[in-house]
Amino acid sequence: DIRFYEHNGVDRRAMLRVLVRTLMLGQDAGGGSTLTQQLAKNLFPRETGGWAALVAAKLREIITARRLERLYDKEEILELYLNTVSFGEETFGVGTAAQRFFSKRAGDLELHEAALLAGLLKAPGYYHPLRYPERARQRRDLVIHQMARYGMITEEEARRQMEIPLSLNYYRAGMNSGLATYF
């Protein structure tokens, strides 16, 4: 969501792109939802159904996203999103994902590690770094490349980060190892 800090919960440009590609060109455009809309979907999951249910769910997400944007600032929305999103394997929230894949706190992640987790969100099963390390590395590198493209890091920093090999310190804690791990 490159325009996250610019929109009010709904990215009209992205929605228009998805509508044109889907309805007029018959392509799977994907990616029209903002982080705020995805947060709304995480907080209030969709019910199954046909096209009508999907349209109703999208409208509900748009309305909820606009309300969330009025109630919370961007940093709070980002924090809420990062604490509700699934990283696969019943791993919800960036803190749990950082522990699972790197055995460290989210705040201690290096840029290439955070990029791996960000890339994992697109399709956690498909980009699972333990099962598909090459896919995960390519996705991580795409995230890093996009960061450089949009001026978040320099090209030189991106190159350095992409040279770092994929390295995990994977630990899957069970429900009974630790105090109230389900929280």
Side-chain angles (χ1 to χ4, degrees):
D1 187 359
I2 195 62
R3 290 180 288 278
F4 174 69
Y5 289 99
E6 299 165 15
H7 62 65
N8 62 355
V10 178
D11 185 345
R12 288 181 177 83
R13 272 177 49 188
M15 286 182 68
L16 182 61
R17 174 183 48 82
V18 169
L19 281 173
V20 167
R21 285 190 179 170
T22 303
L23 298 177
M24 299 178 133
L25 302 175
Q27 301 172 348
D28 179 18
S33 292
T34 65
L35 287 180
T36 313
Q37 286 173 274
Q38 292 174 43
L39 171 60
K41 186 168 78 172
N42 292 345
L43 294 173
F44 308 104
R46 295 176 181 171
E47 295 180 19
T48 57
W51 271 97
L54 178 62
V55 170
K58 279 304 249 182
L59 288 173
R60 190 170 41 252
E61 288 164 15
I62 289 169
I63 292 166
T64 304
R66 297 290 301 269
R67 288 181 178 169
L68 287 169
E69 291 274 345
R70 283 195 297 270
L71 291 171
Y72 301 102
D73 65 35
K74 291 290 189 175
E75 298 306 315
E76 291 170 318
I77 289 169
L78 187 57
E79 181 179 353
L80 286 166
Y81 172 77
L82 288 172
N83 282 309
T84 60
V85 71
S86 173
F87 289 87
E89 296 185 330
E90 300 172 3
T91 304
F92 291 91
V94 71
T96 306
Q99 285 295 327
R100 166 82 41 97
F101 294 105
F102 301 107
S103 297
K104 48 172 84 168
R105 294 175 354 102
D108 297 331
L109 291 173
E110 296 179 34
L111 188 132
H112 64 95
E113 295 167 332
L116 177 77
L117 293 182
L120 190 58
L121 292 174
K122 180 175 175 98
Y126 186 80
Y127 294 111
H128 192 287
L130 213 56
R131 286 186 223 121
Y132 308 105
E134 187 55 28
R135 284 182 198 166
R137 189 194 59 75
Q138 288 174 353
R139 181 73 185 153
R140 175 204 72 177
D141 290 353
L142 176 64
V143 170
I144 292 169
H145 172 75
Q146 290 294 88
M147 291 176 73
R149 177 180 175 196
Y150 290 105
M152 296 170 187
I153 59 174
T154 65
E155 291 288 338
E156 176 63 24
E157 178 64 16
R159 188 188 56 70
R160 278 196 309 270
Q161 292 294 320
M162 289 188 274
E163 287 175 355
I164 298 172
L166 197 66
S167 61
L168 303 174
N169 190 358
Y170 187 84
Y171 175 71
R172 184 171 179 148
M175 292 298 278
N176 296 323
S177 59
L179 180 63
T181 56
Y182 47 88
F183 283 112

